[in-house]
């Protein structure tokens, strides 16, 4: 149960707790408590208070009786917003590193474009606040809904999202995503497409230029999803996967190539980021993808097309993911937060560009 410091009092009785100073503090009931006593959903409690949707008189009376029984009082922001909206979408984007910030801007730009097309503004929350950031924007009634990005496999924001009355869309898939509105790119299918492309070209070994160690350490959910599917598919196709985690700058790419290129036939190369430095490093060594070796990448179409040899690639489609998230969020705002929670994925597609040698 959440303790709202604004509602603490010195009275004792049911629902009271004694603090470290010996004073008795009153634990404020929440709308979740009202829903439990009334036997309705938390969103129904919200609709009764806001008047945003028609509610039967019987259900309305159950909620009002529960409010009176618990002496529940919505926060001032909720009372002020009854019957109206802020037309603001919160976007929680924790920029952990400069590289991460650059990669996430396409998502943020598209979300802002869609928001403005529907007369909404975007409030960006860039600090790595975790669940406290979500709780703060709802408590202060700063926005109508939130999109949270950079979801970790074990993400405390996901657990809090289950309890909030405002709609929350997660771009990412936590381990326990049941009951949550989640949108993401299909990284599992992307892994299978990329492994299959190299296996079909006759590669029996694939050297993967993986995500930087500091990024993997954040627990971002798509990394293990991709790795597990890639490993499973490689085993099915009789391909040996060799993972190399290094920095994504030129020095890191050179370390990767030194580690995987030796005498004999080079392995297939799979780059899990923009291949700019990789393409330049191969060119400096006199190696041409599609002629001397096979290269595939997980990168956007824009990044692929500007390379000396544009690689065959699967794009994570950040703008498509953002549009899907915003479309769903606007539906939730218009039709109510009772829309069934589910996982919606953007389909993975492989675009061939000639960086893989075809048999024969």
């Amino acid at each position: 149960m959440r303790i709202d410091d604004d509602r603490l009092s010195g009275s004792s009785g049911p629902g009271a707790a004694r603090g470290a100073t010996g004073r008795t503090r009153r634990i404020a009931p929440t709308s979740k408590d009202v829903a439990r006593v009334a036997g309705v959903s938390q969103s129904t409690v919200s609709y009764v208070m806001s008047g945003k949707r028609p509610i039967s008189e019987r259900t309305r009376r159950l909620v009002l009786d529960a409010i009176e029984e618990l002496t529940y009082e919505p926060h001032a922001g909720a009372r002020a917003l009854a019957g109206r909206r802020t037309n603001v979408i919160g976007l929680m984007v924790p920029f952990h590193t400069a590289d991460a910030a650059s990669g996430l801007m396409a998502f943020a730009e598209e979300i802002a474009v869609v928001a403005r097309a529907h007369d909404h503004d975007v409030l960006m929350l860039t600090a790595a606040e975790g669940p406290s950031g979500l709780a703060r924007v709802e408590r202060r009634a700063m926005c109508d809904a939130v999109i949270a990005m950079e979801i970790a496999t074990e993400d405390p924001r996901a657990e809090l999202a289950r309890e909030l009355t405002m709609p929350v869309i997660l771009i990412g898939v936590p381990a326990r995503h049941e009951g949550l509105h989640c949108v993401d790119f299909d990284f599992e299918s992307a892994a299978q497409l990329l492994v299959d492309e190299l296996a079909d070209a006759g590669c029996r070994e694939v050297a993967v230029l993986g995500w930087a160690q500091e990024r993997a350490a954040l627990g971002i959910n798509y990394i293990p999803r991709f790795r597990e599917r890639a490993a499973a598919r490689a085993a099915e196709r009789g391909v040996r996967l060799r993972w190399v985690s290094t920095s994504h700058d030129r020095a890191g790419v050179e370390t990767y190539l030194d580690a995987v290129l030796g005498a004999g036939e080079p392995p297939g190369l799979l780059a899990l980021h923009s291949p700019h430095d990789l393409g330049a490093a191969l060119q400096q060594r006199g190696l041409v993808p599609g002629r001397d070796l096979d290269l595939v990448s997980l990168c956007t179409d824009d990044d692929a097309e500007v390379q000396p040899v544009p690689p065959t690639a699967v794009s994570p489609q950040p703008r498509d993911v953002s549009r899907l998230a915003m479309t769903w969020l606007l539906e939730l705002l218009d039709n109510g937060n009772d829309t069934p929670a589910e996982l919606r994925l953007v389909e993975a597609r492989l675009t061939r560009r000639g960086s893989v040698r075809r048999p024969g």
Side-chain angles (χ1 to χ4, degrees):
M1 177 180 291
R2 182 179 64 195
I3 299 177
D4 186 346
D5 291 336
D6 294 334
R7 291 289 312 279
L8 300 181
S9 72
S11 62
S12 60
R18 189 167 298 276
T21 63
R23 295 180 59 192
T24 300
R25 303 183 303 168
R26 181 171 179 272
I27 299 177
T30 68
S31 61
K32 189 175 182 179
D33 299 319
V34 174
R36 174 179 52 78
V37 171
V40 299
S41 68
Q42 194 173 359
S43 57
T44 298
V45 174
S46 176
Y47 296 143
V48 169
M49 292 189 296
S50 68
K52 289 181 179 178
R53 289 183 62 179
I55 301 295
S56 71
E57 182 57 32
R58 178 180 177 277
T59 300
R60 180 175 175 274
R61 178 48 53 190
L62 286 172
V63 171
L64 294 178
D65 288 345
I67 289 174
E68 183 176 356
E69 177 184 340
L70 296 171
T71 64
Y72 168 72
E73 294 179 10
H75 58 72
R79 291 195 300 270
L81 280 175
R84 69 181 180 88
R85 298 204 314 223
T86 66
N87 277 18
V88 175
I89 302 297
L91 177 59
M92 181 171 280
V93 191
F95 294 144
H96 299 292
T97 65
D99 286 344
S102 176
L104 292 170
M105 285 313 298
F107 291 92
E109 289 173 3
E110 194 64 29
I111 287 170
V113 167
V114 177
R116 289 308 309 147
H118 291 82
D119 198 28
H120 282 68
D121 292 313
V122 174
L123 171 66
M124 185 170 290
L125 308 166
T126 58
E129 298 178 88
S132 63
L134 277 177
R136 177 169 59 87
V137 296
E138 180 172 69
R139 184 173 65 252
R140 297 182 183 179
M142 299 165 66
C143 54
D144 301 323
V146 168
I147 293 178
M149 298 182 59
E150 291 288 83
I151 302 300
T153 302
E154 301 295 336
D155 199 313
R157 294 175 297 169
E159 294 308 311
L160 180 61
R162 302 177 192 276
E163 303 178 8
L164 300 181
T165 56
M166 69 177 178
V168 178
I169 297 281
L170 305 181
I171 295 184
V173 188
R176 294 181 58 249
H177 62 269
E178 298 79 8
L180 296 170
H181 299 85
C182 299
V183 170
D184 207 0
F185 174 68
D186 191 347
F187 284 94
E188 292 88 345
S189 293
Q192 182 166 317
L193 286 170
L194 292 168
V195 169
D196 280 346
E197 183 70 5
L198 292 174
D200 291 344
C203 297
R204 301 276 64 88
E205 181 180 3
V206 172
V208 184
L209 177 55
W211 289 277
Q213 292 180 350
E214 60 269 22
R215 183 143 187 82
L218 296 172
I220 303 301
N221 71 96
Y222 59 76
I223 295 178
R225 288 163 49 203
F226 185 98
R227 286 187 63 120
E228 290 169 10
R229 179 61 67 87
R233 189 58 173 175
E236 292 171 0
R237 297 298 305 269
V239 172
R240 175 176 176 264
L241 278 188
R242 180 181 178 187
W243 295 86
V244 180
S245 294
T246 182
S247 61
H248 286 181
D249 55 15
R250 181 62 178 269
V253 168
E254 294 289 356
T255 299
Y256 163 73
L257 291 178
D258 288 341
V260 302
L261 296 180
E265 180 69 15
L269 305 184
L270 198 171
L272 300 182
H273 66 97
S274 172
H276 174 71
D277 287 316
L278 179 58
L282 288 171
Q283 189 176 45
Q284 186 171 352
R285 295 176 184 230
L287 297 173
V288 178
R291 186 193 71 187
D292 305 309
L293 49 75
D294 305 304
L295 167 66
V296 297
S297 180
L298 179 70
C299 68
T300 65
D301 293 333
D302 288 343
D303 282 338
E305 294 293 348
V306 297
Q307 304 312 313
V309 177
T312 291
V314 173
S315 169
Q317 302 179 64
R319 296 188 183 277
D320 288 352
V321 171
S322 296
R323 281 193 293 270
L324 177 59
M326 278 298 297
T327 299
W328 197 8
L329 193 67
L330 293 168
E331 289 176 1
L332 291 175
L333 287 173
D334 290 340
N335 302 325
N337 203 19
D338 285 336
T339 303
E342 60 183 354
L343 169 60
R344 300 182 180 182
L345 295 175
V346 171
E347 180 184 7
R349 299 189 301 270
L350 180 85
T351 301
R352 292 193 174 101
R353 296 187 177 90
S355 64
V356 175
R357 297 167 293 179
R358 308 310 302 175

